[in-house]
Amino acid sequence: MRPNHHQFEAFAYVVREGSFSAAAARLGVTQSTITQHIANLEKGVGTLLLLRGRDGVELTPTGQDFYDLADRMIALSAEVAERLEGFNAMKEGRLKIIGNAPQPALKIIARFQRRFPDIRVDFGLYDWTTAKSMISNRLADVGLITDAPDHEHWEKIHIESARYMIYCRRDHPFAKRAKISLAELAQETVIVPEKGSLTRRLLDRACDRYDISLHRVATMTTFPLMCEAVLQGIGVALFLQNSSLIKDNLCEIDIEEMPETRNTSLIATKDRARLKLVSEFINAAIE
């Protein structure tokens, strides 16, 4: 028996949503229907496509190959449906947005939702490595990623540029400084994002290049948490300029060894960029 559209659709949404139950809710069917579609698809392919675990589902190597095809098929099907409906009202739908920093993603999401309040937007914040991987593996509709690579199958639209800065409290001895060397932070607690982030990657590269050792590093998972840690006097933080709207009582200081401007871009696969939901989000981004 040849696989059909419903089986591919169920498979694609199980991967995108992360579980059989979430895929069933997304498609408005029962979980047993999703399970049956996946079982029939695997039977037709002749091998397992998904492994179920405590943390959700995981693709087998064959599953990864089929997922790329299935997701492209879903994107094409959605584009056909939009054209048949005349690109009408934008009264329903859902976008999955990911980013490696909350700004400028949240500003764009706010502009988009003011225009299309009925569209559900799910936003996830991930480290740089994971965010790139999710776009590569078609696990999100749109990514807002700093230093995003070029790819022949991606639309890449420049959004903003910013430098890495040191953030400290206004009563910190560094607060009056316009610029600081990483070497001067040797006795400070430096607050940074988790491993896998672009920040950690570039900081480690700069320290290696200039033979600088930071003896006290504190890892935090989110930018608001990093800002709060600075405000509580735990240390100074390193992240991109304008990464957070939390500005009160914080100072930004240029870093001598990290003067380069980093570019944040909107990324979407070319087939998804043609979809009405995604194209309108892109319009909101470049407004």
Side-chain angles (χ1 to χ4, degrees), residues 2 24 49 56-57 65 73 114 117 120 131 151 160 170 178 189 197 200 207 222 233 253 257 283:
R2 296 180 61 185
L49 303 176
V57 296
D65 291 338
M73 186 187 74
R114 283 195 292 270
R120 173 178 166 181
H151 193 290
E160 69 175 26
R170 294 191 182 278
T189 297
S197 67
R200 288 291 291 268
C207 287
T222 66
I253 308 170
E257 295 84 359
N283 290 338

Side-chain angles (χ1 to χ4, degrees), residues 30-49:
T30 65
Q31 184 171 336
S32 62
T33 298
I34 298 294
T35 301
Q36 184 177 12
H37 282 325
I38 299 299
N40 288 335
L41 179 60
E42 290 179 328
K43 183 178 179 181
V45 173
T47 187
L48 288 176
L49 303 176

Side-chain angles (χ1 to χ4, degrees), residues 181-210:
S181 169
L182 291 174
E184 298 177 81
L185 303 179
Q187 303 306 314
E188 296 284 331
T189 297
V190 181
I191 302 163
V192 294
E194 66 274 23
K195 287 187 180 296
S197 67
L198 180 64
T199 304
R200 288 291 291 268
R201 181 188 180 98
L202 295 176
L203 175 62
D204 290 346
R205 184 185 299 172
C207 287
D208 289 343
R209 180 179 180 183
Y210 294 99

Side-chain angles (χ1 to χ4, degrees), residues 123-178:
F123 175 61
L125 197 59
Y126 298 89
D127 66 76
W128 181 72
T129 303
T130 302
K132 287 197 309 171
S133 176
M134 290 181 72
I135 293 296
S136 294
N137 293 324
R138 305 175 65 89
L139 297 177
D141 297 304
V142 176
L144 286 139
I145 301 174
T146 306
D147 278 13
D150 294 321
H151 193 290
E152 62 177 329
H153 297 305
W154 292 358
E155 293 286 352
K156 180 180 177 182
I157 300 165
H158 177 262
I159 300 299
E160 69 175 26
S161 301
R163 300 186 308 279
Y164 273 96
M165 312 287 284
I166 290 295
Y167 283 71
C168 68
R169 285 195 341 188
R170 294 191 182 278
D171 59 357
H172 193 281
F174 293 150
K176 301 297 184 182
R177 300 278 297 275

Side-chain angles (χ1 to χ4, degrees), residues 44-110:
V45 173
T47 187
L48 288 176
L49 303 176
L50 294 169
L51 300 175
R52 296 201 221 191
R54 183 176 300 175
D55 298 324
V57 296
E58 181 180 349
L59 286 165
T60 65
T62 303
Q64 183 63 65
D65 291 338
F66 268 84
Y67 173 67
D68 187 69
L69 293 171
D71 193 64
R72 289 174 189 274
M73 186 187 74
I74 298 305
L76 179 60
S77 177
E79 184 179 5
V80 170
E82 285 180 348
R83 293 192 180 188
L84 289 174
E85 293 165 7
F87 292 102
N88 286 330
M90 292 281 286
K91 288 297 184 182
E92 62 180 20
R94 187 167 117 187
L95 275 175
K96 184 173 183 179
I97 312 298
I98 62 168
N100 68 300
Q103 297 286 5
L106 295 178
K107 291 186 290 187
I108 299 170
I109 291 170

